[in-house]
Amino acid sequence: KRAMLETIKMQGHHISGLLPNPSWGPDMLRLYEHYKSQCEVEVEGGEKQGALWQRLPSYNRSIKYATGGAFLSRTIQSKARLFTRNITEPGAGFEYVLFANKKEQKCVCIFQPGHLLEGPPGHVHGGAIATMIDTVTGSHAVFLYGAIMTANLNINYRSPISLGSTVLVESTVDKMEGRKTLLSCKVTSTDGSKLYTEATVIFGKLNNLFKLKCLNKDC
Amino acid sequence: KRAMLETIKMQGHHISGLLPNPSWGPDMLRLYEHYKSQCEVEVEGGEKQGALWQRLPSYNRSIKYATGGAFLSRTIQSKARLFTRNITEPGAGFEYVLFANKKEQKCVCIFQPGHLLEGPPGHVHGGAIATMIDTVTGSHAVFLYGAIMTANLNINYRSPISLGSTVLVESTVDKMEGRKTLLSCKVTSTDGSKLYTEATVIFGKLNNLFKLKCLNKDC
């Protein structure tokens, strides 16, 4: 039993902890260092200095995210894995890291799509782009408002994204309307000059992550 | 070299040919048999009898689909894999089979999402649902009109889908407008009584699958 626990802990560590990994290209590394350098830094006595940015953790199950990464004994046997963290080979699937800026209500994701995300030859599948847009805006909304579920996803694909390239996925809050949160999302080149994809996303707020019913209703 | 060729052929066969596999549940199998029984049947002399439905092949790269599954020597070394066929463990990822009905301009997909597609605990990730909607409507549009690229994807998520369940993804053609094709898509329970997700999708027609530029423009 202890061995199983260790394995699961190691898997979690492998997926959520080891940032960056050897598959990251120079663009991904540079941007990661750029945002990391603006994150909270511990000063004397373990206190944290206020900072613009904060890295959002990414676990291999959203249930871990909802509980701050705590180990849940009732899911110990479960083989379920977060869709974006189901490929273990570094660089083959979704390589990404998220940073949030609470003051500006903004979230930035550095995303390096791997060769297993192919749609059109040599380019990223529209569904993989949709997945990252849902993930970035969803993580952003969870960070700001707690448990949510996607209600609407509206994506305009402007230009195809090459496999192995590095892009920025940026989420901004448009407004809160009752229990709904509206966000905008853009996928651009790392210098922001080229727009690949843009989207609007609506999330419904939940009282509890386990209450998965009554979406798209004002309940 | 021959060994490599054989391996690649076998991989292709494994992924595109072995339908159904042992992970398919009773609902998936029953629906597969239902549509298959309405497909073309070879009669005496190898001629094909007209039939309502036709199974759409699914390869591990769309470049194979575009060439009718032909082997392409220049991509022999490529590790790229179609996003929906990148998980080799049966039942773990996207289990699906597609049938098209040319007369009714309709396409049906039987979809059994596996445990590696998790979003909310125990349920399918919104991005994985978006991926299947893009795949079904995209395959449908390719079947009817040839090479296309997704221009817009607009999805309403009504109710979460449990991991391991079987659902129907149905695509219908709304209209053709110049070089654009508009389709509607619904994800329902296998008896059609429960609506999980609905979407509209716009595709831009391409002259050539390798011409990946100029989307969302009337070019």
Side-chain angles (χ1 to χ4, degrees):
Chain A
K1 196 178 170 188
R2 181 177 289 179
M4 191 160 67
L5 265 161
E6 287 303 314
T7 308
I8 288 167
K9 277 183 188 166
M10 278 171 66
Q11 281 178 351
H13 181 68
H14 172 70
I15 292 168
S16 67
L18 289 182
L19 290 173
N21 72 47
S23 78
W24 289 20
D27 275 1
M28 179 108 182
L29 278 170
R30 183 179 50 78
L31 284 161
Y32 171 69
E33 295 299 337
H34 170 76
Y35 286 102
K36 207 183 83 172
S37 70
Q38 296 177 65
C39 284
E40 277 184 345
V41 271
E42 279 195 33
V43 288
E44 286 169 25
E47 268 179 66
K48 282 179 180 179
Q49 219 170 18
L52 263 178
W53 294 89
Q54 159 173 1
R55 186 169 81 77
L56 298 186
S58 172
Y59 302 101
N60 55 13
R61 295 200 68 194
S62 60
I63 204 168
K64 284 193 186 174
Y65 185 86
T67 58
F71 182 75
L72 295 169
S73 63
R74 60 175 162 160
T75 60
I76 189 170
Q77 313 266 12
S78 169
K79 291 191 294 175
R81 288 290 169 269
L82 185 67
F83 183 42
T84 55
R85 295 298 190 195
N86 68 11
I87 294 163
T88 49
E89 187 192 343
F94 296 92
E95 290 293 337
Y96 66 101
V97 57
L98 287 163
F99 292 94
N101 184 321
K102 206 162 191 171
K103 196 180 160 195
E104 295 180 16
Q105 297 207 314
K106 202 171 144 177
C107 187
V108 165
C109 171
I110 314 162
F111 172 39
Q112 183 186 287
H115 57 265
L116 296 184
L117 309 187
E118 194 179 48
H123 294 81
V124 187
H125 196 289
I129 299 168
T131 299
M132 280 312 295
I133 289 170
D134 188 33
T135 297
V136 177
T137 54
S139 301
H140 192 192
V142 167
F143 172 69
L144 292 171
Y145 311 113
I148 48 91
M149 284 278 284
T150 318
N152 176 267
L153 192 57
N154 192 347
I155 305 175
N156 283 312
Y157 296 92
R158 301 289 178 198
S159 191
I161 299 169
S162 295
L163 295 175
S165 63
T166 300
V167 293
L168 282 180
V169 188
E170 290 194 347
S171 163
T172 48
V173 177
D174 287 340
K175 58 177 168 177
M176 287 279 291
E177 246 179 30
R179 300 188 66 78
K180 285 180 183 173
T181 309
L182 289 79
L183 296 101
S184 288
C185 192
K186 283 195 304 182
V187 185
T188 65
S189 55
T190 52
D191 64 359
S193 67
K194 188 175 170 74
L195 178 68
Y196 291 109
T197 322
E198 56 188 342
T200 56
V201 192
I202 304 172
F203 290 98
K205 201 162 160 33
L206 302 174
N207 291 324
N208 183 314
L209 194 57
F210 297 92
K211 266 195 186 173
L212 296 174
K213 302 286 174 188
C214 64
L215 296 174
N216 281 37
K217 292 171 197 161
D218 290 321
C219 61
Chain B
K1 195 177 166 186
R2 180 179 287 179
M4 192 161 68
L5 266 161
E6 286 303 314
T7 307
I8 287 167
K9 276 184 188 164
M10 278 171 66
Q11 281 177 348
H13 181 68
H14 171 70
I15 292 169
S16 68
L18 289 182
L19 289 172
N21 73 47
S23 78
W24 288 21
D27 274 1
M28 179 108 183
L29 278 169
R30 182 179 50 78
L31 284 161
Y32 172 70
E33 294 299 338
H34 170 77
Y35 285 103
K36 207 183 82 171
S37 71
Q38 295 177 65
C39 284
E40 277 184 343
V41 271
E42 279 196 32
V43 290
E44 286 170 27
E47 269 178 66
K48 283 179 178 179
Q49 218 170 21
L52 264 179
W53 294 89
Q54 159 173 1
R55 186 169 82 78
L56 298 186
S58 172
Y59 302 100
N60 55 13
R61 295 201 68 194
S62 60
I63 203 167
K64 284 193 186 174
Y65 185 86
T67 58
F71 182 77
L72 297 169
S73 63
R74 59 175 162 159
T75 60
I76 188 171
Q77 312 266 13
S78 170
K79 292 190 295 175
R81 288 291 170 268
L82 186 66
F83 183 42
T84 56
R85 297 296 190 197
N86 69 11
I87 295 164
T88 48
E89 186 193 343
F94 296 93
E95 289 294 338
Y96 66 100
V97 57
L98 286 163
F99 292 95
N101 185 320
K102 205 161 191 172
K103 196 180 160 196
E104 294 180 18
Q105 298 206 312
K106 201 170 144 177
C107 186
V108 165
C109 171
I110 316 163
F111 173 39
Q112 183 187 288
H115 56 267
L116 295 184
L117 309 186
E118 194 179 47
H123 294 81
V124 187
H125 196 288
I129 299 168
T131 299
M132 280 313 294
I133 289 170
D134 188 33
T135 297
V136 177
T137 53
S139 301
H140 191 193
V142 167
F143 172 69
L144 293 171
Y145 311 112
I148 48 91
M149 285 276 285
T150 318
N152 176 267
L153 193 56
N154 190 347
I155 305 175
N156 284 311
Y157 296 93
R158 301 289 178 200
S159 192
I161 299 169
S162 296
L163 295 175
S165 63
T166 299
V167 293
L168 282 179
V169 187
E170 290 193 348
S171 164
T172 47
V173 177
D174 287 339
K175 58 177 168 176
M176 285 281 287
E177 246 179 30
R179 301 188 65 79
K180 285 180 183 171
T181 309
L182 290 78
L183 296 102
S184 288
C185 192
K186 282 195 303 182
V187 185
T188 65
S189 55
T190 52
D191 63 0
S193 66
K194 188 174 171 73
L195 178 67
Y196 291 108
T197 323
E198 54 187 344
T200 56
V201 192
I202 304 172
F203 291 99
K205 201 161 160 34
L206 303 174
N207 291 323
N208 184 314
L209 194 58
F210 297 91
K211 266 197 188 170
L212 297 174
K213 301 287 174 189
C214 64
L215 298 172
N216 282 36
K217 292 172 198 159
D218 289 321
C219 61

